[in-house]
Amino acid sequence: MKSIGLDTSGKMIVKGPQKASGVLTVSGSKNAVLPIMGASLLTDEDVELKNVPDLADVRTMIEILESSGKKIDRIEDRLIIKSSGYINSEIPYEPVRKMRASFNVYGPLTLRKGFAKVALPGGCSIGARPVDFHLDGLRRLGIESTIEHGFVTSKLTDIMGSINISLPFPSVGATEHVLTTACLLEGVKTTITNCAIEPEVTDLVNFLNRMGAKIFGAGSSILKIEGVKKLSGISYNIIPDRIEAGTYIILGKLAGENLTIKNVSADHLNSLFSIFENIGSPILYDDIKREVTVTKANFDILKNISMETSPFPGFPTDLQPQITTFLSLVPGRSTITETVFKSRFYHIDELNRMGAKIRVEDNTAIIEGVNKLSGAPVEATDLRAAAALLIAGLVAEGETVITNVDHIFRGYENIHEKLENVGIDLVYLK
């Protein structure tokens, strides 16, 4: 499993229905660790990150940091990021094309070197996600950008005093990029409004403040940053991955038999807990142990629901494909309106191949609950779609073959081993 990358399509073969029983432990957050790794460029001192998942995206960010001049040691779930004594601010296309979060090194590299040249980012095919919000915010911070031949080239200009930046949308990536860059503008006071308030943003703020940054308003939509001259190295523990936790909770509601999911932060998943409360299958959370125990829901008594995705604290778009799989089996008509990535419905056709009855009108999926799903050949179009189809395959009758499944290794550490440990039988083929 260690050799899995994104250059092979991969297949998973699963025969259902199956049951999951035992203990699953949630790994560190992918969406938290990636911007934190990028922010390590702001210091020449050693940074130790703990609870780091071993994922394709993390390996890609390691490659980018090494391209920029960092030396990185991995010891189990720890990363030690060290300076090599030089900074390279020109990052090649190959690693950046693999994921969107890679672009967040652009601002920090510009500050450290005075200029940077970074390829435009790639990632999952879930609709247009332009970097305009990033570049507009960075321009207010004195970073002028030029886009040519698929690369963005920056130039740092002098700036002083107070800066006010209002994001047109509470973009997680833009919020993280702008606040990280503003930290090292010594003597400059920056106010960012309409910020994303996702837990991963708060984790980044906490990390930077531990390094010596002066950021105020963590967890709110208004962040105030007082630029400092220098940031220090620290040791920092990454938060649990709420999307991994939510995925396994949904799996448990479909196929669980006293499935225990450990390392869960309930305050990061209130919207998911509310959904299950509203449909008649509450989630029981042990606050002391920080774990959830889940058994298959009684679909005979469940109520249908209308819901929508939205930025935190709303229901996360990254759990929409998985909850769609669940709702495809809930009696009656449910609807999901996607407000974040409006074209994030590529999994719908694949679920319909398995017997679901779902149609899409504009940015809303209309779901007519069916009694069962049937195994079929399907294709994963992105990371979360891959997870949704795997869950569907586990509860469907017969064999499901998921092609292009390697997306899943971008967001779920050791998923093959974790599922096998709770009794799930599946086959992965490169």
Side-chain angles (χ1 to χ4, degrees):
M1 299 294 290
K2 295 296 183 183
S3 64
I4 290 168
L6 294 179
D7 295 324
T8 57
S9 60
K11 283 183 183 178
M12 272 190 184
I13 303 171
V14 55
K15 294 181 180 179
Q18 297 191 42
K19 293 180 180 179
S21 179
V23 177
L24 276 170
T25 300
V26 174
S27 300
S29 170
K30 172 183 91 87
N31 289 336
V33 74
L34 294 176
I36 285 174
M37 290 173 69
S40 71
L41 289 166
L42 295 176
T43 183
D44 288 326
E45 297 182 14
D46 292 358
V47 171
E48 179 190 39
L49 302 179
K50 296 179 286 188
N51 197 32
V52 177
D54 185 13
L55 299 169
D57 277 11
V58 172
R59 294 174 217 161
T60 297
M61 186 60 87
I62 289 173
E63 185 180 350
I64 289 169
L65 292 180
E66 289 177 337
S67 294
S68 72
K70 291 291 188 180
K71 293 181 177 179
I72 299 177
D73 295 323
R74 173 142 207 159
I75 305 168
E76 296 179 343
D77 72 341
R78 294 187 297 134
L79 287 184
I80 296 91
I81 305 172
K82 303 177 181 180
S83 172
S84 65
Y86 79 97
I87 298 171
N88 174 31
S89 61
E90 297 191 22
I91 307 300
Y93 165 75
E94 185 58 28
V96 178
R97 74 172 178 86
K98 297 178 183 177
M99 65 173 188
R100 186 168 184 76
S102 58
F103 191 64
N104 280 33
V105 303
Y106 177 71
L109 283 175
T110 302
L111 289 189
R112 298 302 310 279
K113 195 78 172 180
F115 73 95
K117 183 178 181 180
V118 178
L120 288 169
C124 284
S125 300
I126 54 175
R129 301 194 291 177
V131 295
D132 295 357
F133 297 168
H134 296 240
L135 298 182
D136 288 346
L138 294 177
R139 180 179 52 81
R140 301 294 303 276
L141 296 178
I143 297 176
E144 300 291 340
S145 300
T146 304
I147 301 177
E148 286 185 327
H149 308 299
F151 283 81
V152 185
T153 304
S154 66
K155 180 178 69 173
L156 184 62
T157 62
D158 290 334
I159 196 160
M160 59 185 65
S162 298
I163 301 167
N164 293 299
I165 299 171
S166 179
L167 296 174
F169 177 83
S171 160
V172 172
T175 299
E176 292 170 339
H177 202 169
V178 173
L179 80 87
T180 299
T181 306
C183 287
L184 216 54
L185 289 173
E186 184 183 8
V188 175
K189 294 183 178 181
T190 303
T191 300
I192 312 171
T193 58
N194 201 27
C195 294
I197 59 173
E198 271 72 0
E200 296 80 10
V201 176
T202 301
D203 207 32
L204 173 63
V205 170
N206 292 338
F207 168 77
L208 289 166
N209 280 341
R210 286 274 308 279
M211 293 177 75
K214 294 182 178 179
I215 308 170
F216 309 92
S220 76
S221 62
I222 300 176
L223 292 175
K224 295 181 181 292
I225 303 113
E226 296 179 7
V228 298
K229 182 177 182 179
K230 182 178 181 292
L231 295 178
S232 303
I234 60 164
S235 178
Y236 191 79
N237 200 60
I238 304 297
I239 60 172
D241 195 308
R242 63 191 172 106
I243 304 302
E244 183 188 10
T247 299
Y248 290 143
I249 288 170
I250 293 169
L251 184 155
K253 285 291 186 178
L254 283 165
E257 197 172 70
N258 292 319
L259 176 66
T260 298
I261 303 163
K262 293 180 174 290
N263 198 28
V264 177
S265 293
D267 55 342
H268 297 171
L269 287 167
N270 284 332
S271 60
L272 179 65
F273 284 27
S274 293
I275 292 297
F276 281 112
E277 180 81 31
N278 291 338
I279 66 176
S281 185
I283 293 172
L284 300 179
Y285 179 72
D286 188 320
D287 192 49
I288 297 174
K289 295 182 178 179
R290 297 175 70 242
E291 67 183 35
V292 171
T293 299
V294 200
T295 294
K296 179 180 178 180
N298 182 354
F299 282 81
D300 291 336
I301 64 171
L302 296 187
K303 296 174 286 187
N304 57 320
I305 193 170
S306 292
M307 57 176 288
E308 68 176 26
T309 66
S310 61
F312 190 84
F315 190 86
T317 182
D318 279 353
L319 285 176
Q320 182 258 105
Q322 301 90 309
I323 202 70
T324 300
T325 298
F326 181 87
L327 292 176
S328 73
L329 293 164
V330 173
R333 174 181 290 182
S334 296
T335 64
I336 302 177
T337 299
E338 176 60 68
T339 70
V340 181
F341 298 130
K342 295 183 180 180
S343 63
R344 192 176 204 160
F345 286 122
Y346 296 124
H347 53 286
I348 298 295
D349 286 344
E350 305 307 300
L351 288 174
N352 285 341
R353 287 173 56 81
M354 300 178 69
K357 292 184 179 179
I358 309 171
R359 70 181 190 275
V360 177
E361 295 182 0
D362 296 324
N363 60 328
T364 298
I366 301 167
I367 307 162
E368 304 287 349
V370 297
N371 293 325
K372 66 176 183 178
L373 298 176
S374 300
V378 292
E379 180 182 4
T381 52
D382 62 73
L383 162 57
R384 306 306 174 183
L389 294 173
L390 177 56
I391 292 171
L394 291 175
V395 299
E397 292 186 357
E399 182 177 273
T400 297
V401 179
I402 310 168
T403 57
N404 205 28
V405 79
D406 280 2
H407 289 289
I408 205 166
F409 302 112
R410 293 184 52 224
Y412 297 91
E413 182 182 37
N414 299 330
I415 187 169
H416 190 278
E417 292 89 342
K418 286 184 180 183
L419 292 181
E420 284 186 337
N421 287 339
V422 295
I424 296 299
D425 182 26
L426 54 84
V427 176
Y428 171 74
L429 299 173
K430 292 186 182 179

